[in-house]
Amino acid sequence: MLQTIPAMAYFAPETEEELTAAGLEAGVMCYLGGRAAPMGAVSASVVHAVFYTFNPERVRRHIPKAWSLATPATLVEARFVAADRALNRMLGAEVITSPEVAEAAELARRAASSAATEGRPLAGSHQELDWPTAPHLVLWHGLNILREHRGDGHMATLLNAGLSGLQALVSNAATGRGFLPSFAQSHRGWSEEQWDTAVDELRERGVLDAAGGLTKEGSALRAQLEEDTDRSGAAPWRTLGADGIQRLADVGGRLTNLLLAAGCLPSEGVFFPVAR
């Protein structure tokens, strides 16, 4: 649930407003350039390598062009400005200046600063950024580092499971959680033919059934991937101790509920409906 706090920036209109004002083209270039900016002006192959589930051709259409339109440092600053604007709009000044947010921010900073980043390039590059001073941005940045830390670890588990980026995307869509298949396919830049080929490959492997749903073995694989990812990403959280973890979860959970109530995530066309 805490991932909603950093992830809301990818859907907040303020993000595209600030990144296009900095020079980027609207659309997926903002996602690729904004998220990759902490690594510096890296090549398309590097961005594809760390983002994993994107069609490399889609990445090459926007990277390195993005770096000719705006410097990575400018984009990093634009993202912080966007997060500040979005959190102010959705949470309000009274919430973001509250003692609870300040307390949660320091917990998130402690955990994120302790995260080991061997083999975790996105987490490492985000960890190297200067920390903001406003508590709500400290919280956003700290949780963003932890989100990228988990994501880097997840990529390693996918590689270990022998899943290509597209196969990982297809099998995740088959869980009925997270991105809808239509959004996952279009946003990551895969054609119908490429998607269907991955479906066929996963059927041959026994991950998907004839209808495109997860088999028993496929469900077990996806569950194991999540379990392995959680285990590999647990160390930073353990630095907080049980009480610190619970406190961050409590405050973060309340903030997440406020963000969701404010419409921080799209209600249609992107995610599977959440069962309640």
Side-chain angles (χ1 to χ4, degrees):
M1 186 177 237
L2 291 178
Q3 290 200 47
T4 301
I5 296 173
M8 66 85 200
Y10 293 114
F11 301 98
E14 290 87 351
T15 299
E16 187 161 291
E17 290 169 5
E18 293 296 334
L19 293 177
T20 54
L24 295 189
E25 296 172 358
V28 76
M29 182 185 281
C30 288
Y31 178 91
L32 295 170
R35 188 178 173 203
M39 296 190 292
V42 295
S43 67
S45 61
V46 171
V47 174
H48 171 248
V50 298
F51 284 19
Y52 199 74
T53 59
F54 270 84
N55 186 329
E57 292 302 319
R58 165 153 266 204
V59 176
R60 280 193 283 269
R61 285 197 292 271
H62 301 288
I63 304 292
K65 182 181 180 181
W67 316 136
S68 71
L69 301 175
T71 66
T74 298
L75 298 177
V76 167
E77 178 59 27
R79 284 186 85 203
F80 277 116
V81 172
D84 181 33
R85 288 179 56 204
L87 290 171
N88 267 283
R89 171 175 59 84
M90 290 186 279
L91 296 179
E94 184 175 352
V95 170
I96 66 173
T97 59
S98 67
E100 269 199 336
V101 167
E103 181 186 2
E106 285 310 305
L107 289 169
R109 185 203 291 261
R110 278 174 49 197
S113 298
S114 75
T117 55
E118 296 94 336
R120 299 178 191 261
L122 279 170
S125 61
H126 281 72
Q127 196 182 62
E128 284 294 301
L129 299 177
D130 292 334
W131 283 87
T133 55
H136 64 290
L137 291 180
V138 171
L139 178 62
W140 179 80
H141 182 47
L143 292 177
N144 203 33
I145 293 170
L146 293 168
R147 182 175 183 270
E148 296 293 12
H149 183 271
R150 187 184 191 279
D152 286 333
H154 188 57
M155 184 174 69
T157 67
L158 294 171
L159 285 166
N160 189 56
L163 291 172
S164 69
L166 179 52
Q167 290 170 347
L169 197 63
V170 171
S171 63
N172 186 64
T175 65
R177 298 186 298 273
F179 288 148
L180 292 165
S182 56
F183 178 81
Q185 179 187 336
S186 62
H187 186 258
R188 270 32 176 183
W190 299 102
S191 69
E192 290 284 352
E193 182 179 1
Q194 290 167 323
W195 189 272
D196 290 345
T197 296
V199 169
D200 289 341
E201 291 166 347
L202 291 170
R203 283 194 183 113
E204 291 176 9
R205 183 171 168 176
V207 174
L208 298 182
D209 59 26
L214 289 173
T215 62
K216 180 179 179 181
E217 292 78 9
S219 294
L221 172 63
R222 291 302 317 185
Q224 189 63 55
L225 289 169
E226 293 302 317
E227 182 180 331
D228 291 345
T229 300
D230 287 344
R231 184 171 58 252
S232 73
W237 297 95
R238 286 198 292 267
T239 65
L240 302 181
D243 290 344
I245 292 171
Q246 188 60 56
R247 181 59 175 159
L248 181 53
D250 288 344
V251 176
R254 287 193 285 275
L255 295 175
T256 295
N257 287 334
L258 290 173
L259 289 171
L260 291 172
C264 73
L265 300 180
S267 59
E268 296 182 349
V270 176
F271 298 104
F272 280 101
V274 178
R276 297 188 183 280

